[in-house]
Amino acid sequence: MRDLARAAAPPLLFLLDEIFHGTNSHDRKIGAEAVLRALIEEGAIGLCTTHDLALAEAVADLGPRACNVHFADEVVEGNLVFDYRMRPGLVGRSNAIALMRAIGLLPASG
Protein backbone atom coordinates (compact mmCIF):
# COMPACT_ATOMS: atom_id res chain seq x y z
CA MET A 1 0.00 0.00 0.00
CA ARG A 2 2.82 2.41 0.81
CA ASP A 3 4.31 1.97 -2.66
CA LEU A 4 0.92 2.54 -4.26
CA ALA A 5 0.39 5.77 -2.32
CA ARG A 6 3.92 6.95 -3.22
CA ALA A 7 3.35 6.17 -6.90
CA ALA A 8 0.17 8.22 -6.99
CA ALA A 9 0.78 10.71 -9.73
CA PRO A 10 -1.65 11.47 -12.52
CA PRO A 11 -2.61 9.54 -14.44
CA LEU A 12 -3.11 6.71 -11.97
CA LEU A 13 -6.07 4.34 -11.96
CA PHE A 14 -6.38 2.17 -8.86
CA LEU A 15 -8.52 -0.93 -8.35
CA LEU A 16 -8.44 -2.14 -4.74
CA ASP A 17 -10.39 -5.22 -3.69
CA GLU A 18 -11.17 -5.70 0.01
CA ILE A 19 -8.41 -3.34 1.15
CA PHE A 20 -6.79 -4.47 4.42
CA HIS A 21 -8.87 -7.66 4.41
CA GLY A 22 -8.36 -9.57 7.64
CA THR A 23 -8.00 -6.39 9.69
CA ASN A 24 -10.65 -5.38 12.21
CA SER A 25 -13.24 -2.87 10.97
CA HIS A 26 -11.92 0.03 13.06
CA ASP A 27 -8.31 -0.29 11.90
CA ARG A 28 -9.31 -1.11 8.31
CA LYS A 29 -11.40 2.08 8.10
CA ILE A 30 -8.57 4.27 9.39
CA GLY A 31 -5.92 2.68 7.15
CA ALA A 32 -8.06 2.51 4.02
CA GLU A 33 -9.25 6.07 4.44
CA ALA A 34 -5.63 7.24 4.72
CA VAL A 35 -4.62 5.35 1.56
CA LEU A 36 -7.66 6.52 -0.40
CA ARG A 37 -7.21 10.12 0.75
CA ALA A 38 -3.54 10.08 -0.35
CA LEU A 39 -4.46 8.66 -3.75
CA ILE A 40 -7.32 11.09 -4.30
CA GLU A 41 -5.27 14.10 -3.18
CA GLU A 42 -2.66 13.18 -5.80
CA GLY A 43 -5.32 13.15 -8.51
CA ALA A 44 -5.71 9.38 -8.86
CA ILE A 45 -9.07 7.86 -9.71
CA GLY A 46 -10.30 4.37 -9.03
CA LEU A 47 -12.45 1.85 -7.24
CA CYS A 48 -12.22 0.21 -3.86
CA THR A 49 -14.49 -2.76 -3.17
CA THR A 50 -15.58 -3.88 0.28
CA HIS A 51 -18.21 -5.79 2.19
CA ASP A 52 -17.33 -3.77 5.29
CA LEU A 53 -20.01 -1.14 5.89
CA ALA A 54 -17.73 0.71 8.32
CA LEU A 55 -15.28 1.28 5.48
CA ALA A 56 -18.10 2.46 3.22
CA GLU A 57 -18.76 5.21 5.78
CA ALA A 58 -15.30 6.63 5.02
CA VAL A 59 -16.75 8.23 1.90
CA ALA A 60 -18.33 10.94 4.06
CA ASP A 61 -14.86 11.93 5.29
CA LEU A 62 -13.32 11.90 1.78
CA GLY A 63 -15.56 14.65 0.45
CA PRO A 64 -17.18 15.13 -2.95
CA ARG A 65 -14.49 13.25 -4.87
CA ALA A 66 -15.68 9.92 -3.46
CA CYS A 67 -19.01 8.13 -3.53
CA ASN A 68 -20.51 4.73 -2.76
CA VAL A 69 -22.09 2.58 -5.44
CA HIS A 70 -23.36 -0.99 -5.39
CA PHE A 71 -24.64 -3.84 -7.52
CA ALA A 72 -28.08 -5.16 -6.67
CA ASP A 73 -28.56 -8.89 -6.36
CA GLU A 74 -31.17 -11.46 -5.57
CA VAL A 75 -31.16 -15.13 -4.66
CA VAL A 76 -32.96 -17.18 -7.31
CA GLU A 77 -33.35 -20.90 -6.63
CA GLY A 78 -30.39 -20.81 -4.26
CA ASN A 79 -28.15 -18.92 -6.67
CA LEU A 80 -26.95 -15.34 -6.30
CA VAL A 81 -27.92 -13.38 -9.42
CA PHE A 82 -26.63 -9.92 -10.36
CA ASP A 83 -27.77 -7.62 -13.16
CA TYR A 84 -24.38 -5.82 -13.08
CA ARG A 85 -25.91 -2.35 -13.14
CA MET A 86 -24.10 0.09 -10.89
CA ARG A 87 -26.45 1.94 -8.55
CA PRO A 88 -25.75 4.92 -6.30
CA GLY A 89 -25.33 4.54 -2.54
CA LEU A 90 -24.85 1.57 -0.27
CA VAL A 91 -26.56 -1.74 -0.86
CA GLY A 92 -29.83 -1.82 1.02
CA ARG A 93 -29.92 -5.46 2.03
CA SER A 94 -27.72 -8.39 2.88
CA ASN A 95 -27.51 -11.53 0.78
CA ALA A 96 -25.36 -13.67 3.09
CA ILE A 97 -28.20 -14.86 5.33
CA ALA A 98 -30.33 -15.77 2.31
CA LEU A 99 -27.41 -17.73 0.87
CA MET A 100 -26.84 -19.53 4.18
CA ARG A 101 -30.51 -20.50 4.23
CA ALA A 102 -30.35 -21.62 0.58
CA ILE A 103 -27.56 -24.10 1.35
CA GLY A 104 -29.19 -25.31 4.58
CA LEU A 105 -26.75 -23.70 6.99
CA LEU A 106 -29.59 -21.75 8.65
CA PRO A 107 -33.22 -22.76 9.03
CA ALA A 108 -35.77 -21.23 6.68
CA SER A 109 -37.23 -18.02 8.03
CA GLY A 110 -40.55 -18.43 9.70
Side-chain angles (χ1 to χ4, degrees):
M1 286 297 154
R2 182 178 59 216
D3 291 341
L4 179 63
R6 287 182 181 159
L12 177 71
L13 171 67
F14 63 89
L15 304 171
L16 302 172
D17 183 38
E18 297 292 349
I19 188 169
F20 298 121
H21 175 75
T23 306
N24 70 64
S25 292
H26 176 263
D27 292 351
R28 179 175 30 250
K29 181 179 184 277
I30 290 170
E33 187 175 332
V35 168
L36 294 173
R37 182 178 307 284
L39 291 168
I40 290 169
E41 286 176 355
E42 291 297 324
I45 61 171
L47 300 170
C48 180
T49 66
T50 187
H51 288 93
D52 187 336
L53 295 178
L55 179 54
E57 293 170 4
V59 166
D61 297 327
L62 292 172
R65 295 176 292 174
C67 68
N68 285 311
V69 296
H70 70 278
F71 293 110
D73 61 73
E74 61 181 317
V75 178
V76 178
E77 297 179 6
N79 296 309
L80 189 58
V81 178
F82 292 92
D83 65 5
Y84 298 102
R85 296 180 65 197
M86 202 176 308
R87 293 174 168 79
L90 295 176
V91 67
R93 63 185 186 83
S94 169
N95 58 27
I97 291 174
L99 288 172
M100 287 184 255
R101 284 190 176 116
I103 64 169
L105 201 61
L106 294 176
S109 61

